[in-house]
Amino acid sequence: MSAPSLSQHTTTLRFLDSADGSPLGCLASWPNHRFTLTDVVDVLRRFGLHVSDHRPLDEPGTHHFMIAPSGTAAPDAGVLDLIAEAFVAGAEGRTDIDDFSILVLQEGISWRWVDLIRAAVRFLAQAGIGLSPTYMLGCLTATSGYAAALAALFDARFRPGLPDREAAVAAAASAVAGHIDRAATFDLDRTLRGLRSFVDATLRTNWFQSGGTKPYASFKLDPSALTVGGAIVPLREIYVHSRDVEGVHVRAELVARGGLRFSERPEDYRTEVLGLMATQAVKNAPIVPGGAKGAFVIRPGSTADLTTAYTTFIRGLLDVVDNVVDGAPTTPTDTVAYDGADAYLVVAADKGTARMSDTANAVAAEYGYWLGDAFASGGSAGYDHKAMGITARGAWVAVRHRFAELGHDVDTQTFTVAGIGDMSGDVFGNGMLLSDRIRLVAAFDHRHIFLDPDPDPDASHRERARLFALPRSSWADYDPAAISAGGGVWPRTAKAVPLSAAARAALGIDAETLTPDELIKAVLRAPVDLLWNGGVGTYVKASDETHGDAADPANDRVRVDACEVRARIVGEGGNLGFTRAARVEYARHGGRCDGDFIDNAAGVATSDREVNIKIAVDRAVAAGTLAPGQRETLLAAVTDDVAEAVLTASRDQVLALGCSEHDAPALLTQHERLIEDLARAGRIARDGDGLPPTAEIRERSRAGTGLLRPELAVLLAQSKNVVASELAASSLPDSPACTPWAENYFPAEILARAGSGVAEHPLRREIVVASLADELVNRLGPGALYRFEERFGAATADSARAYVVVSRVLHTEDIRTRILAAGSDARSTLAELSALARVVEAEMAWLLRHTARRTLRDVLAGACDDADTPEALVALFAAPVAAALGDRPSAEDCRGAFANAAVALCLGTDPARVAAARDALIDSLHIRWLLEGFATRVRGSYWEAMGAAALRDEISDRLDALVVTALDGSAADPTGRTHRLVRLLDRLRGEDAVDTARLAVIAGELRLLDR
């Protein structure tokens, strides 16, 4: 065959016929001098063909090569054709020509199947198999036939339209299993099993979409089916692989959200993203979606720019999820799916992708993806988080509260700060402008170290504001005239930094000169009021952790131990600044912190509301109830409403932790039971989540202390996740009584102008679940529902139903609003909120006890139909309770409200008369103190707590009965017994000790009175 002409302008490779026994030869052409001769020789070597001779032909750009004989049989014609195809594909940039290319010759598979093997090997390296891609390739070349068998298994599982898929899969799987069974070494077995598990774990792929011509491959995986991996196992994972880009997107739940970041960790970006997903899963506890995270890298040697790589990654994600067409989930064409419907994929900006939401939404629009520009929040028609300052403002809510607990007002009193970040950053920059009383004495980012030993609050605030407004500013742009004496800005590349006396005093050190790394450690250890983290990286570990435990090798040189941090308060606007164990150690040494998943949750909450508001608005537009031209105007009009709702949610979560800390010593045993329950359910890893072991809890019990705030934060968040999961499996979210939790999620203007979209929102149920779970756990604290389960056998849905009824009948949110508006100091406010929570819990317990025993329906027979539904119970109790409590009841006024209403309904009497009778009885018996303080007075073992709770219920029932007898005139006049009980209660109050033995005596005395 003659050499191809230059007019073809293509690269070709053709092997010559060697049937006569002559050495193998080939003709190769590459026009326009696209490659050097050395390049071509190296490419042929990658295919296992070693050039022994070469001569150029007359046709320019065309060459004749002779291939040296090998020790094995010459490749057959079919394999040579596959090599020629791979040669051309490599020249055209459709595949890599590398050491994996030998598999074309050895296995007789096409270059596309080599791409599959390469992708699987690279994924296993990221997944933690502990073997390099080169080593795993060696395992494959040592196991002739395995790569081809694996490709055949993948083909059988995913080729569209295969006639007898089951038989094809069985045959291919048997061939793969045979190779694994014959593996002679552990590493070989581990490699082969790992590759098999990659194929088995794949649920969908775009491999055959568009005729198999896409220049990238994506695989949706069930990571639990992999034979490799660590402690964090996502529910779903999408792996995207191409010549230019590689990355993963992991989800803790099917409905999940999180940012996509450009990773600077090409060797372990999956490890990075799993840690971020775990944090996101906890951070997302108060919102509709679970946690997700994505990261991608540009592969070495690629010339792709960031936007191109990001776009490819987005395409890979959308290729393997469902779309919603005419209201129904639709799987992409030419896609075999082994999972169920999966149509919720949303992403957000993150490190390196802060301004790329419009790019992602453009791809989503190209795909016709049902979420439109709600796919990637924060685009040009979304909420700009930096402009809103929402993440920093949310974290500042936590900072302000921690200062308030120490009696310090950050809006009127100065305080010192050391920081991680610079003023160009969203979280750091916005945060350092939230008070003009900030005295920022030191900060650092990846470029500079800033020192201002004695800053003027007003002048430094003005200068920080100037830098924040200056595009791409750095600490080097800070006006030297605005820096106090002895301060300055130094690049991190400096050999050493001289420290003035003022700087040494501000940092609390003696050294006169430090290297930049040493100076950063000094900043982290500075004796300031606040350490504000608005940067990227893990800078603080526990003293018993290694730097490897922090999983951030870039900052190993500057990381410090938590016991060395002298800041009184930490604000975690950035992710992963502290390890979880570091937070606990810091708190144990007196520091005030909660966790990054608490502090910076406002950003993801804003994104979640943006998505759901856009869905509602778009539905209203589609229904014709809102003009298309009004869409963007309406979204912009509710920006402040969204921010207010998000910041209120942040405040509520921080207050919940404050109340939990307030009650922590008394609830230690119950918190331990909750830890054990969450660990059994796989929701927490006791060690990995920084929670104390049993022995340490015993020590705290003896010392009279409880869980620390970072520990309580984990329980709070994970309790929300458990409650949400169990509510979602019940029918409660569909109850009309839960409508307020759906409607209150949306701004009033959205309800008014896009109400039809809210009513028909496809995630209405999920919104109810997330909102109700968030409120319930925030109001009652972590573990309250678990206590109901242990005491009454009540399922989560039963307890949540009781909460819905109690909160709506007693209008507890109005009471809470009045407590917060009273202007009391922080600790008094927490005490009042805790007292309200105990009243709500007591009323829920009454409702659960009586509905569980079916006595409520007996007592109220004929009062309503189906008395156990929440809407029926609300309707039944609302009027008598309101009649007894009046317009503005206090929390304590509400104690016994449901029992009073039941008595009033039973006797047909005035509810206010019943309430007055109960108050008179309680006062006459001197028992009010016990009822009000029961939850925090009883301490001891699990059985002690359970026994005391049972006796508390009996005491409550006896009081109910005494109220009835007092009202119906059947009460005797047991004056002696009453005086005896009063003396016992007064004595018990004086001892300030309540246990089951004492409670049993009180219950017995009430039993005698009831006779």
Side-chain angles (χ1 to χ4, degrees), residues 132-198:
S132 70
T134 300
Y135 187 90
M136 286 186 275
L137 174 60
C139 291
L140 287 172
T141 57
T143 312
S144 180
Y146 184 79
L150 194 72
L153 176 60
F154 188 90
D155 187 78
R157 294 194 73 219
F158 294 105
R159 181 175 291 278
L162 205 61
D164 190 353
R165 188 178 308 281
E166 185 176 348
V169 169
S174 176
V176 169
H179 284 289
I180 295 174
D181 291 341
R182 292 188 294 272
T185 67
F186 177 72
D187 281 351
L188 181 58
D189 182 272
R190 188 155 52 121
T191 298
L192 302 187
R193 286 185 190 277
L195 290 167
R196 164 71 188 268
S197 75
F198 175 83

Side-chain angles (χ1 to χ4, degrees), residues 187-350:
D187 281 351
L188 181 58
D189 182 272
R190 188 155 52 121
T191 298
L192 302 187
R193 286 185 190 277
L195 290 167
R196 164 71 188 268
S197 75
F198 175 83
V199 174
D200 289 343
T202 301
L203 302 171
R204 303 183 185 193
T205 180
N206 69 347
W207 192 259
F208 293 101
Q209 293 176 9
S210 303
T213 60
K214 292 193 172 183
Y216 57 90
S218 53
F219 310 86
K220 186 205 278 188
L221 306 166
D222 173 5
S224 67
L226 295 167
T227 59
V228 298
I232 302 173
V233 181
L235 178 69
R236 291 290 182 267
E237 178 167 4
I238 299 174
Y239 170 54
V240 179
H241 179 274
S242 76
R243 293 192 70 198
D244 295 319
V245 63
E246 187 177 310
V248 294
H249 180 267
V250 293
R251 288 182 282 170
E253 300 175 28
L254 284 180
V255 177
R257 72 167 298 109
L260 299 184
R261 63 171 40 200
F262 175 57
S263 175
E264 297 175 348
R265 295 167 58 173
E267 298 301 319
D268 68 341
Y269 62 81
R270 187 175 186 267
T271 299
E272 175 188 24
V273 85
L274 286 176
L276 291 166
M277 183 209 72
T279 297
Q280 196 77 40
V282 184
K283 183 191 301 185
N284 285 17
I287 65 174
V288 174
K293 209 71 178 181
F296 65 96
V297 297
I298 296 176
R299 293 184 58 189
S302 170
T303 59
D305 59 35
L306 179 60
T307 301
T308 301
Y310 179 70
T311 300
T312 298
F313 189 52
I314 293 292
R315 291 182 185 280
L317 301 182
L318 289 172
D319 279 348
V320 289
V321 295
D322 293 332
N323 201 357
V324 176
V325 179
D326 296 328
T330 304
T331 302
T333 305
D334 294 329
T335 304
V336 176
Y338 289 89
D339 57 342
D342 183 14
Y344 189 90
L345 179 69
V346 293
V347 300
D350 205 303

Side-chain angles (χ1 to χ4, degrees), residues 521 538-552 555-556 559-565 572 576-586 588 685-691:
K521 288 184 175 183
T538 303
Y539 295 97
V540 184
K541 67 176 184 66
S543 55
D544 60 355
E545 288 184 304
T546 67
H547 288 295
D549 293 326
D552 179 23
N555 288 303
D556 285 352
R559 190 173 298 113
V560 301
D561 291 341
C563 59
E564 301 174 306
V565 176
E572 294 194 71
L576 303 179
F578 280 52
T579 66
R580 290 192 176 178
R583 293 188 192 109
V584 173
E585 181 172 290
Y586 171 70
R588 190 181 295 119
R686 199 161 185 164
D687 293 337
D689 284 311
L691 295 170

Side-chain angles (χ1 to χ4, degrees), residues 941-965:
S941 68
Y942 162 74
W943 295 109
E944 178 76 18
M946 289 290 287
L951 288 167
R952 167 65 175 80
D953 293 339
E954 182 177 353
I955 290 171
S956 178
D957 287 346
R958 292 298 171 187
L959 289 173
D960 292 349
L962 289 170
V963 171
V964 172
T965 56

